[in-house]
Amino acid sequence: MKRQAKTLFFLGAFVIAAASRTSHANKTPSALPASPAAQTAAFTQALALYDAGDLVRAAEALTANVRRADASGNHAHAIRARAILAETYAMAGHYKLATYVLESGFERARSENSTQYIAELEAAAGNVCMLTRDANRSRAYLDKALVAAESEGDEMLLATIQINLGNLLLARQEFAAAEIAYQSAHERADRLGHTGVASKSLANLARCRLASGDMTGAEEANRRAARILVDSPGSHNTCIVQILVGHTFALLAAHLADRADTFLSDSRLACNAAAAMATRLQDRTALCYALGNLGYAHEQQGDVDTAVSITRRAAFIAQEEQLPDALYRWQWQLGRLFREQTKIDQAEQVLSQAVATLQTIRHDVAIRYGNANLHSSFRQAVGDLYLDLADVRLQQSDYAATPEAATRKRLDARDTIEQLRAAELDDYFQDDCVNIARSHVRPADTVQDGSAVVYIIPLRDRIEFIVTLPSGLKRFTQQVTSIELTRTVRDYRRFLQRRTTREYMRPAQTLHKWLIDPIESAVAAENVRTLVFVPYGALLTVPFSALHDGDAFLIAKYAVAIIPGLSLMDPTPIESAPMRILKCGLSEGVQGFPPLPFVSTELNNIQEIFSDGKVLQDQAFVDSHLTKAFAETPYSIVHIATHGEFGRDARDTFLLTYDDRLDLNRLESLLRPNAYRGQPVELLTLSACQTAAGDDRAALGLAGVAFKAGARSVLATLWYINDEAASILIRDFYQRLSTRSAGSKVEALRQSQLALLQDLRYRHPCYWSPYLMIGNWL
């Protein structure tokens, strides 16, 4: 995109706003409506620019179309032009502008009571919501668009909407439903003889089957798409589908190693065809993606020198055309290739550039040309870029000229992962809570005696540990692949929740060997009593306290805390002032959730220990009472004993109240004002929440809830546990906290967990290990 792109896009939004407010009487001569025939011709010209991928000129032309249609009272045309303009903004990554234009279109449709082209408007809204990962709204819009298109009898539009619906279902991993949508779209397009939509539906069907593990079906659909493309007319969309076909062949090569050469040859053939077509069309955007994917195919083939040459061309075009979404991809690809050539310094330089480029569009990372997967999280989409940069920086530390230089490179590697953690949490919560939290904390670059911060970086071929000890920074390495680590972590979590077996013991011991043994001698030498882990990925879903050395659980030796990142917490001790506790909970079954009978006992026990503070139970546990309680008193501890679920999307995360669901934004609005006044909640306890096993993204939400809510620390559970066991542990924890005999919150938790471990009824780790101290552990 050229330098004027942003100016034109924002000018277009301003003009739409002006057009919506301008009456027919205010028109200047230059703004007089064109004839219907001229409007149609201009709109056809704008669509041609859109189809050619010239988004800047398409936006300019469509904006002019909207103005003319509004001025002439051609309401149907005005609505349709807005739908295409919104798609144009969305394709360029300007989602807020797209949303604004859509709102304008819906407002126009309502004011004129117009139903014509409403299907296109709703389809565009569905796409924008999908790109911003608002899956529920996207599905609602697409379903309405299907109904509207059916009523209008627009078969071509129906096929297009079904492809978009398939994309959404694929993103949600609803593979069978996605396949039905793609096949239906292909049947419609085939009947109409529309080769572009037919090939696009098959190419998407291929990646759906690939994602579901159906390699045979993926190859069959991809080859059918490739055959159709041979006879398709040259266009921007044809180029893009050709690139997608080529990329899918390259991915099939990675999954079916015995046929890799054949698939990679097919991939290069498709990408070369796309590049030739893009060159003929003078379509620099499509050429950029075609070359980048061609370079990827050569990278997979092991032809590194050719891959470097082609990828450099792609990166040059991306830079020249100002395509940051493509630029960071090809910079990343170059970094991998330089690393393969053992040119570590060059790899570090270009990977640093890739991260810097990505930072400029981080909030708009979406699925683009030639990308074979719809990712549901920032980490899945680009997390490996940060890991690759951290990897080469750690390699640089191995041959640094001085110990000081080596330490700087290790800190650079750690800071790279810090960037990734902050970006992940920002992506999960979809707001500025990460930046707010980072601006109010002092990073844990140094630790008090008795503590060690263990930063775990799982790379493809090894695990790296950067450990902050009282004496300084140390680095350790364990030769375990990320695949082995993830598989073992999944087994550990699954077996821990089976309270009638000891199957958890083998993975618990294996993980202790991998994660604790490499650092234990250094930790023991400094008399460390508290281990503060900064986990990543799958490790967010499991408790470290139940790792086992063959003789005892880790909790027998160390208090264990979790922090989401060094720059996201403030390691200062809890204040010695009297503690005021707000105690909330549900013992009754409401809204389809079962009762929690021991919650009454739990709240009564806490009230006996801390009488200063309100109790909001059952019918009293409602939003209006919560608002009043926080307005009246700055609480140091907030205890909530209710059903809570942390979903893979922050919008699906909630705590159950008597008559509603308390989402994270509402929780933040209740707690954070006290933090702004210098009286933050020291501890937020969520004693009955749960995250889905194997869902790293849901666990990310749990790990980040402290700074999202404005609390300094959170005591929460990874899974729902026995109601009575929870009541016993919570009472013991608060008793120790009230006397401050344990010295820190995390040590009080450790002692309470050990006490429950001694109870024969609850000695299995499924009862005591899911409790995590997250954030400030002191």
Side-chain angles (χ1 to χ4, degrees):
M1 206 169 294
K2 302 296 185 185
R3 290 189 183 278
Q4 73 269 30
K6 185 171 289 189
T7 301
L8 284 173
F9 278 127
F10 281 94
L11 178 60
F14 173 78
V15 169
I16 293 298
S20 298
R21 293 191 295 268
T22 300
S23 69
H24 201 72
N26 293 339
K27 293 192 296 288
T28 61
S30 62
L32 286 172
S35 67
Q39 286 187 42
T40 300
F43 184 66
T44 302
Q45 203 170 33
L47 282 178
L49 292 168
Y50 172 83
D51 289 337
D54 191 343
L55 301 182
V56 174
R57 293 174 64 201
E60 190 177 27
L62 286 164
T63 299
N65 265 262
V66 169
R67 294 179 65 195
R68 292 190 191 99
D70 281 344
S72 66
N74 189 343
H75 308 303
H77 189 94
I79 291 169
R80 190 180 187 203
R82 281 177 167 85
I84 306 300
L85 180 59
E87 293 264 24
T88 305
Y89 284 145
M91 286 179 65
H94 296 289
Y95 305 124
K96 289 183 180 178
L97 292 180
T99 301
Y100 180 85
V101 171
L102 287 169
E103 289 171 351
S104 170
F106 282 119
E107 182 182 350
R108 173 63 56 131
R110 283 192 298 269
S111 66
E112 303 299 334
N113 197 25
S114 172
T115 58
Q116 196 172 6
Y117 298 123
I118 197 70
E120 289 192 38
L121 202 61
E122 286 170 335
N127 283 344
V128 172
C129 289
M130 177 166 50
L131 288 168
T132 55
R133 289 192 290 279
D134 191 344
N136 294 332
R137 288 185 68 203
S138 176
R139 181 62 190 266
Y141 274 124
L142 291 174
D143 284 344
K144 286 193 290 185
L146 283 171
V147 172
E150 286 270 15
S151 68
E152 292 175 14
D154 192 333
E155 288 289 300
M156 198 67 262
L157 179 59
L158 273 170
T160 302
I161 295 169
Q162 284 173 324
I163 290 176
N164 295 334
L165 178 59
N167 292 342
L168 174 65
L169 294 166
L170 175 56
R172 299 174 72 164
Q173 298 185 330
E174 297 177 31
F175 300 122
E179 181 158 341
I180 291 171
Y182 290 137
Q183 287 179 328
S184 181
H186 174 257
E187 289 166 6
R188 276 195 163 90
D190 195 42
R191 283 198 305 270
L192 295 169
H194 198 298
T195 57
V197 175
S199 60
K200 185 177 182 180
S201 59
L202 286 172
N204 280 286
L205 176 61
R207 69 192 182 105
C208 174
R209 289 173 172 173
L210 183 69
S212 68
D214 179 7
M215 301 302 155
T216 301
E219 179 185 0
E220 182 267 341
N222 214 46
R223 292 201 182 282
R224 286 170 65 196
R227 286 195 293 272
I228 293 174
L229 287 167
V230 172
D231 299 319
S232 294
S235 71
H236 174 78
N237 285 330
T238 301
C239 287
I240 299 311
V241 176
Q242 189 81 267
I243 293 165
L244 179 57
V245 166
H247 192 71
T248 299
F249 277 132
L251 293 177
L252 282 167
H255 285 88
L256 302 172
D258 57 327
R259 298 180 58 205
D261 287 346
T262 299
F263 286 128
L264 289 173
S265 176
D266 293 331
S267 177
R268 293 194 300 273
L269 188 66
C271 291
N272 272 314
M277 184 181 297
T279 301
R280 289 196 304 274
L281 296 170
Q282 297 183 335
D283 186 341
R284 299 276 286 171
T285 298
L287 179 60
C288 173
Y289 283 96
L291 290 174
N293 280 277
L294 180 60
Y296 177 75
H298 281 281
E299 177 188 12
Q300 296 299 99
Q301 188 75 57
D303 187 358
V304 176
D305 291 343
T306 302
V308 167
S309 176
I310 295 172
T311 305
R312 275 180 163 153
R313 287 176 60 199
F316 176 79
I317 295 172
Q319 197 158 24
E320 189 177 57
E321 297 295 311
Q322 294 197 356
L323 300 169
D325 184 80
L327 181 58
Y328 89 82
R329 295 174 192 274
W330 312 144
Q331 288 170 331
W332 181 6
Q333 192 161 287
L334 276 174
R336 296 195 305 269
L337 292 164
F338 286 142
R339 182 178 60 184
E340 188 68 23
Q341 293 176 323
T342 66
K343 298 176 180 178
I344 301 302
D345 290 342
Q346 285 179 263
E348 194 273 342
Q349 181 181 22
V350 75
L351 287 170
S352 296
Q353 292 169 354
V355 168
T357 302
L358 179 60
Q359 288 295 104
T360 67
I361 58 168
R362 184 162 58 81
H363 295 286
D364 289 330
V365 171
I367 306 311
R368 306 287 190 172
Y369 311 111
N371 192 5
N373 295 298
L374 277 170
H375 296 287
S376 58
S377 75
F378 184 86
R379 180 172 68 83
Q380 287 175 301
V382 295
D384 283 348
L385 167 58
Y386 292 82
L387 292 173
D388 287 343
L389 178 55
D391 184 0
V392 296
R393 284 176 167 171
L394 288 167
Q395 290 184 53
Q396 284 180 315
S397 75
D398 291 334
Y399 59 81
T402 65
E404 293 76 18
T407 297
R408 280 196 301 274
K409 280 298 175 183
R410 291 166 187 165
L411 288 172
D412 286 345
R414 190 188 70 182
D415 290 345
T416 300
I417 305 302
E418 279 287 293
Q419 277 186 282
L420 172 57
R421 292 179 192 282
E424 280 190 275
L425 289 164
D426 187 58
D427 173 67
Y428 182 83
F429 293 117
Q430 293 289 300
D431 63 18
D432 291 327
C433 64
V434 175
N435 292 329
I436 292 171
R438 296 177 85 179
S439 67
H440 286 84
V441 301
R442 173 172 56 85
D445 287 325
T446 60
V447 294
Q448 296 182 344
D449 289 346
S451 297
V453 177
V454 184
Y455 214 105
I456 304 175
I457 306 175
L459 300 173
R460 288 185 181 87
D461 60 344
R462 67 192 189 281
I463 307 171
E464 292 277 358
F465 305 85
I466 299 177
V467 184
T468 304
L469 294 158
S471 64
L473 198 73
K474 292 189 178 180
R475 175 192 171 196
F476 305 89
T477 303
Q478 177 67 273
Q479 297 300 319
V480 177
T481 67
S482 60
I483 293 175
E484 289 178 289
L485 176 63
T486 300
R487 182 171 57 243
T488 306
V489 166
R490 301 287 188 236
D491 289 344
Y492 175 56
R493 167 71 187 256
R494 185 170 68 254
F495 294 146
L496 272 179
Q497 292 185 250
R498 296 179 182 175
R499 60 189 179 191
T500 58
T501 78
R502 287 171 52 86
E503 291 176 282
Y504 66 84
M505 189 59 76
R506 177 172 292 181
Q509 292 180 352
T510 300
L511 289 173
H512 191 287
K513 177 182 176 182
W514 291 346
L515 303 176
I516 306 302
D517 287 4
I519 67 173
E520 189 149 36
S521 60
V523 166
E526 301 202 29
N527 297 315
V528 165
R529 299 178 300 279
T530 298
L531 294 177
V532 182
F533 290 98
V534 191
Y536 179 76
L539 288 171
L540 285 164
T541 68
V542 293
F544 285 78
S545 57
L547 300 185
H548 204 280
D549 65 3
D551 295 320
F553 292 108
L554 187 66
I555 198 73
K557 290 183 181 180
Y558 305 102
V560 177
I562 299 294
I563 57 175
L566 293 171
S567 61
L568 297 171
M569 54 79 57
D570 184 9
T572 54
I574 191 169
E575 294 182 2
S576 58
M579 300 180 195
R580 291 190 181 92
I581 300 188
L582 178 62
K583 308 131 193 131
C584 311
L586 285 178
S587 61
E588 299 178 15
V590 297
Q591 302 177 53
F593 285 81
L596 298 169
F598 277 90
V599 163
S600 294
T601 303
E602 183 175 315
L603 297 182
N604 288 336
N605 288 339
I606 300 171
Q607 182 68 8
E608 289 177 7
I609 299 167
F610 294 101
S611 58
D612 191 3
K614 281 191 174 182
V615 177
L616 301 179
Q617 184 180 339
D618 295 328
Q619 292 94 332
F621 183 33
V622 293
D623 189 86
S624 59
H625 291 174
L626 285 167
T627 301
K628 187 171 184 292
F630 282 106
E632 292 175 346
T633 306
Y635 290 99
S636 51
I637 298 176
V638 177
H639 181 94
I640 303 178
T642 185
H643 292 285
E645 292 184 5
F646 282 80
R648 61 184 298 100
D649 190 310
R651 287 171 287 226
D652 299 326
T653 296
F654 66 90
L655 301 171
L656 197 70
T657 62
Y658 187 77
D659 61 350
D660 202 354
R661 295 185 177 192
L662 188 68
D663 65 22
L664 292 179
N665 287 331
R666 180 58 182 142
L667 184 65
E668 179 185 22
S669 71
L670 291 168
L671 271 63
R672 192 169 288 281
N674 284 337
Y676 290 145
R677 290 192 288 266
Q679 296 175 304
V681 171
E682 289 285 348
L683 175 65
L684 170 64
T685 299
L686 308 174
S687 70
C689 60
Q690 60 183 340
T691 62
D695 194 332
D696 306 352
R697 186 165 165 81
L700 179 73
L702 180 62
V705 71
F707 67 81
K708 168 63 176 173
R712 296 183 68 224
S713 58
V714 170
L715 174 60
T717 52
L718 280 168
W719 58 82
Y720 173 71
I721 66 170
N722 177 281
D723 199 19
E724 184 178 9
S727 179
I728 293 170
L729 186 144
I730 289 296
R731 176 186 175 88
D732 191 86
F733 169 74
Y734 280 118
Q735 189 66 57
R736 298 176 192 277
L737 199 64
S738 69
T739 62
R740 306 181 191 271
S741 58
S744 67
K745 296 190 290 284
V746 71
E747 179 59 26
L749 175 61
R750 170 180 174 267
Q751 292 176 14
S752 299
Q753 288 175 305
L754 289 174
L756 195 63
L757 177 57
Q758 300 308 310
D759 188 325
L760 293 179
R761 296 172 298 170
Y762 305 123
R763 65 188 310 171
H764 193 286
C766 80
Y767 295 108
W768 53 263
S769 70
Y771 283 92
L772 303 181
M773 183 62 67
I774 304 166
N776 187 311
W777 66 93
L778 298 174

